[in-house]
Amino acid sequence: MNKKLIFLFPLFLSLFTLSIQAEDGSKLWLRNDQQQEAQVKDKSKTAGGAIGAEELMKSWKGSAVTLTIAKDKELTTDDGFKIENKGDKITLKARTGNGLLYGCYHMLRLQACGYPLPPLTIDNPVYSLRLLNHWDNLDGTIERGYAGHSLWQWNELPATLSPRYTDYARANASIGINGTVINNVNASPQILSSEYIEKVKALADVFRPYGIKVYLSVNFASPMALGGLPTADPLDEAVVKWWKDKCDEIYKAIPDFGGFLVKANSEGQPGPGDYGRSHSQGANMLADAIAPHGGIVMWRSFVYSASDADRAKQAYEEFKPLDGQFRENIILQVKNGPIDFQPREPYSPLFTAIDSTQLMAELQVTQEYLGHSNHIAYLGTMWQEFFDEIKGVKLKGLAGVANIGDAVNWCGSDFAQANWYAFGRLAWNPATGATKIAKEWVLQTFTHDAAAVNNIVDLMLESREAVVNYMMPLGLHHQFAWGHHYGPQPWCEIRGARPDWLPSYYHKADSQGLGFDRTSRGSNAVAQYPKTLASQLDDINTCPEKYLLWFHHAAWTHPMRSGRTLWNELCHKYDDGVNAVRDMRDRWAKAMPTVDDQRADAVSRKLNIQLKDAIWWKDACLLYFQTFSKLPLPNDIAPTTHQLDQMKRVELGISNYECPSAELLDKMR
Ligand code: GCW
């Protein structure tokens, strides 16, 4: 080759590969180019306005924009915005800088999707609290996190601020998230030490201009662990004073601190119950300490004891009688379902039972029970199902257990980013709908090729039902392997373990049939729902089949609406789940050429794992349940490919699986 050609060769090569540049996913959905010099005038003199204006200047391709603070009657919330597009000029109005910021990101989202900016947009968020909950521990690990370690570099704070803190705040602001609880609900008392308050302050300072308030999970026994008091009894004067002083200290450092999140008397955490006090007595004490500063207390309803009572009933039994006894700055934070973030659960009956206490719903963005960051499970559809079920219920806010870590692509998988995105967008307004959100995410994140967009959106929309089908169809729940909650272990028996932590407690398989009888003849959990719904659920012939085994112990021969028996239907559902993953793989293969190789391959690899796992789930569950039904697998489904004995000897997927220590078993009893 002559010299010139050798010189030009790298250029040819890069021109060739430039068509679709490799991406590592670190930009999330924020892939607008930043080469523009748009005309933007920010009259607001607010931090949010300034950031929004700068974002527009760098990326907006339309006509000139003016940002102003205004008291417009259509601006019914602090965070809402109004955009008037008069062709040659655009006016963006909001009551606050945060509203302006959200308006700017709204415009950039439309642009990135290739959607026009309509002449008039008025957009007010439905919920005022749109929070992420990080289950991040102070040692850098993340409980139920599948994206590496915590983003928070506690040992470097407050002196060193990772640039990712700003990226994190920006990403959240772009989808309307306005608060973050930065530490695990299984909280270390240390987070309230003066040393850590300084570190938290440093984070709060980074997040503030993006409209994001910081909240902390607190350990109810902090006055003992940190303050050296002999008790954490909420009625003890010294305890009350300790919390008041602590609130003063926090607000001195962080004047707009959001408040506390509390997991009390749940899974071994301390709480007011340790002193014979009720949840409301405990919550009210904290609420009174923080009220003078304008803070709130989010008190979780996720409680269940090792009693004989149906676990699905316990949160209601604990909290319903306390309704009306909570202070005004307390919000009861209720998980979407009555058990624990299963791939499918009916809504928690607390949502329709509590009427004199503020409520917020807790959703899980991290896929603890939906294949971690290995399986594609777009949760927008799951959350929409929940919103449809609780239609009419007033919520103060939404909390999403974050799926974010220090992984380059933030979430451990490209598609897991869609769940962070969808959470923010649904928290802004659940009526936006899962389909629309999926499409806008794909347009911003992957491609504008119409056929590819359709394929990827369809893949997303079928993904959650696929997971339900290959893991736990027809209302089955909690068939997970001990501890890691990844693979199936319906046979799991651990001597000394709490029964409600074992799959058999939930599936109740016997020679007659399958499922948990929660009808009026069984645990009567149905009675916690409003009357009409309760009687619908109570009757095996009117109970929606997707919840059949949640509410009924149905006979193997029970006739299903498809005309099949329960056993045959179950077999078909598992098979459908596996086939859906094959379909997802095909759709991805079709879309791949429009996506950069790096992300295309990363997703393909995940889908291969998902298919292998789906087959494993199907085989494990069907072969195990077959030992009860004693019925053959129908011959119009794909045969199983594993042996039950062999499967029982393997732990799916998780290499560091360990049997619980004797000490842990003791604690859990
Ligand atoms: O889902 C369960 C998880 C625990 C978690 C708990 C909770 C933070 O397995 O890891 O603890 O719920 O929500 O408190």
Side-chain angles (χ1 to χ4, degrees):
M1 232 188 277
N2 79 26
K3 267 197 183 144
K4 238 188 204 160
L5 272 182
I6 292 180
F7 174 71
L8 286 174
F9 187 65
L11 187 72
F12 290 141
L13 201 73
S14 57
L15 279 179
F16 182 71
T17 49
L18 203 80
S19 52
I20 311 181
Q21 233 166 28
E23 291 192 45
D24 56 17
S26 59
K27 289 187 182 166
L28 298 161
W29 48 87
L30 295 165
R31 291 164 65 256
N32 266 312
D33 80 56
Q34 307 214 334
Q35 318 291 324
Q36 308 302 315
E37 286 176 17
Q39 278 189 40
V40 185
K41 197 180 215 168
D42 171 30
K43 295 186 176 170
S44 78
K45 300 205 171 56
T46 60
I51 293 177
E54 203 190 318
E55 292 272 20
L56 287 179
M57 259 180 253
K58 282 196 262 177
S59 302
W60 179 244
K61 295 181 182 156
S63 42
V65 192
T66 310
L67 279 58
T68 47
I69 297 288
K71 283 215 157 56
D72 203 303
K73 65 174 185 322
E74 286 138 326
L75 293 169
T76 53
T77 59
D78 278 349
D79 289 347
F81 56 85
K82 177 175 175 179
I83 306 170
E84 289 154 309
N85 176 11
K86 300 228 166 79
D88 56 342
K89 59 175 196 227
I90 298 164
T91 319
L92 166 57
K93 294 179 185 163
R95 269 166 37 176
T96 65
N98 292 349
L100 292 175
L101 185 59
Y102 298 133
C104 293
Y105 283 122
H106 175 82
M107 289 170 61
L108 291 171
R109 174 166 52 245
L110 293 185
Q111 173 177 287
C113 291
Y115 298 157
L117 181 65
L120 180 66
T121 308
I122 297 160
D123 201 350
N124 286 289
V126 170
Y127 303 125
S128 54
L129 293 172
R130 307 178 295 276
L131 314 188
L132 285 181
N133 285 186
H134 288 265
W135 286 356
D136 292 23
N137 299 313
L138 302 189
D139 65 2
T141 57
I142 306 179
E143 184 155 346
R144 312 304 177 186
Y146 315 105
H149 277 79
S150 174
L151 271 182
W152 327 130
Q153 302 291 322
W154 292 113
N155 51 348
E156 293 182 352
L157 284 163
T160 308
L161 298 171
S162 155
R164 292 199 94 184
Y165 302 155
T166 311
D167 296 345
Y168 164 87
R170 175 176 180 246
N172 279 323
S174 78
I175 50 175
I177 288 172
N178 67 352
T180 177
V181 184
I182 58 178
N183 64 318
N184 192 353
V185 288
N186 292 328
S188 160
Q190 216 47 42
I191 193 73
L192 291 179
S193 65
S194 304
E195 185 196 348
Y196 271 85
I197 290 173
E198 279 313 300
K199 295 171 191 277
V200 176
K201 169 193 162 37
L203 288 175
D205 290 344
V206 176
F207 301 162
R208 184 172 300 109
Y210 288 88
I212 292 165
K213 278 192 185 183
V214 165
Y215 300 75
L216 292 176
S217 297
V218 295
N219 182 303
F220 200 77
S222 298
M224 298 164 81
L226 274 188
L229 298 186
T231 177
D233 182 346
L235 302 192
D236 181 282
E237 270 176 33
V239 170
V240 172
K241 179 166 180 340
W242 188 88
W243 282 108
K244 281 198 169 138
D245 292 347
K246 197 40 89 179
C247 289
D248 291 345
E249 184 187 349
I250 295 173
Y251 277 89
K252 220 169 140 208
I254 311 166
D256 59 349
F257 177 70
F260 297 139
L261 171 63
V262 193
K263 170 175 179 177
N265 294 122
S266 161
E267 298 185 333
Q269 292 301 312
D274 304 348
Y275 311 95
R277 315 295 183 197
S278 68
H279 282 279
S280 51
Q281 286 175 308
N284 288 345
M285 181 276 292
L286 284 180
D288 290 343
I290 207 168
H293 306 280
I296 59 167
V297 172
M298 294 167 286
W299 195 268
R300 296 175 92 224
S301 71
F302 178 68
V303 297
Y304 60 102
S305 62
S307 70
D308 289 343
D310 176 1
R311 175 172 165 185
K313 289 173 66 178
Q314 295 188 32
Y316 176 106
E317 281 173 354
E318 188 86 41
F319 284 94
K320 173 68 183 160
L322 301 176
D323 190 15
Q325 294 180 24
F326 292 94
R327 298 280 191 272
E328 274 180 10
N329 60 336
I330 295 176
I331 306 165
L332 202 58
Q333 180 165 313
V334 183
K335 286 188 183 185
N336 61 290
I339 299 277
D340 190 11
F341 298 138
Q342 298 301 293
R344 172 166 276 138
E345 293 194 35
Y347 78 84
S348 162
L350 279 171
F351 287 109
T352 40
I354 296 286
D355 47 29
S356 311
T357 308
Q358 301 191 87
L359 286 171
M360 61 195 285
E362 180 178 315
L363 308 173
Q364 197 180 42
V365 188
T366 190
Q367 292 166 235
E368 174 179 357
Y369 294 104
L370 289 100
H372 300 184
S373 287
N374 275 344
H375 295 196
I376 295 180
Y378 171 57
L379 302 179
T381 43
M382 176 161 102
W383 298 329
Q384 191 177 316
E385 186 173 273
F386 164 69
F387 289 120
D388 289 346
E389 287 185 2
I390 62 152
K391 220 174 216 126
V393 173
K394 246 181 98 84
L395 298 180
K396 181 83 183 156
L398 278 195
V401 180
N403 63 352
I404 300 161
D406 67 357
V408 173
N409 66 10
W410 297 88
C411 303
S413 116
D414 291 287
F415 271 89
Q417 297 175 358
N419 293 330
W420 178 7
Y421 183 85
F423 171 76
R425 299 283 292 129
L426 286 170
W428 183 272
N429 187 349
T432 311
T435 307
K436 181 171 176 233
I437 291 171
K439 186 163 180 194
E440 65 184 40
W441 179 77
V442 173
L443 285 166
Q444 293 170 88
T445 307
F446 283 128
T447 177
H448 275 216
D449 179 278
V453 171
N454 284 341
N455 270 315
I456 304 175
V457 169
D458 286 350
L459 175 171
M460 290 168 77
L461 294 180
E462 72 178 319
S463 61
R464 182 270 186 146
E465 198 66 32
V467 175
V468 169
N469 282 339
Y470 65 69
M471 285 188 181
M472 284 162 283
L474 301 172
L476 277 175
H477 48 293
H478 229 311
Q479 297 308 298
F480 294 95
W482 179 268
H484 57 60
H485 297 164
Y486 184 76
Q489 229 179 37
W491 50 79
C492 177
E493 288 301 339
I494 291 184
R495 214 150 30 100
R498 276 174 58 160
D500 56 354
W501 284 12
L502 295 172
S504 55
Y505 174 92
Y506 300 96
H507 65 61
K508 304 254 189 279
D510 58 21
S511 61
Q512 302 299 304
L514 185 65
F516 198 128
D517 185 356
R518 296 194 165 106
T519 68
S520 48
R521 286 130 348 250
S523 80
N524 204 20
V526 291
Q528 296 182 341
Y529 290 95
K531 275 217 169 70
T532 334
L533 177 58
S535 50
Q536 186 199 354
L537 297 172
D538 200 40
D539 181 346
I540 198 166
N541 296 311
T542 54
C543 178
E545 286 188 346
K546 64 181 177 184
Y547 295 135
L548 184 71
L549 306 177
W550 186 284
F551 288 110
H552 294 265
H553 186 71
W556 294 114
T557 53
H558 172 73
M560 303 292 288
R561 266 152 235 161
S562 62
R564 300 186 183 114
T565 61
L566 168 64
W567 170 248
N568 277 357
E569 184 80 356
L570 192 72
C571 294
H572 273 273
K573 286 284 180 198
Y574 275 104
D575 201 45
D576 288 350
V578 173
N579 289 335
V581 181
R582 287 189 210 283
D583 186 66
M584 287 159 61
R585 252 184 11 156
D586 292 347
R587 289 185 188 282
W588 185 249
K590 285 191 195 132
M592 267 174 83
T594 69
V595 174
D596 61 285
D597 288 349
Q598 191 173 344
R599 289 184 301 161
D601 291 344
V603 171
S604 289
R605 277 197 300 275
K606 295 280 185 188
L607 280 163
N608 287 338
I609 299 175
Q610 187 168 3
L611 181 59
K612 189 171 115 286
D613 291 350
I615 294 171
W616 188 281
W617 265 96
K618 169 189 156 188
D619 290 6
C621 294
L622 287 182
L623 293 174
Y624 173 72
F625 291 134
Q626 192 176 34
T627 62
F628 297 92
S629 80
K630 308 256 189 274
L631 292 165
L633 298 186
N635 47 24
D636 52 350
I637 68 163
T640 51
T641 52
H642 297 91
Q643 305 292 322
L644 186 56
D645 297 352
Q646 163 213 0
M647 301 187 97
K648 282 187 175 179
R649 273 182 257 123
V650 182
E651 298 300 336
L652 182 67
I654 304 293
S655 51
N656 62 355
Y657 172 85
E658 276 176 30
C659 257
S661 64
E663 192 194 339
L664 186 65
L665 278 176
D666 231 32
K667 243 176 95 182
M668 292 173 333
R669 227 166 261 148

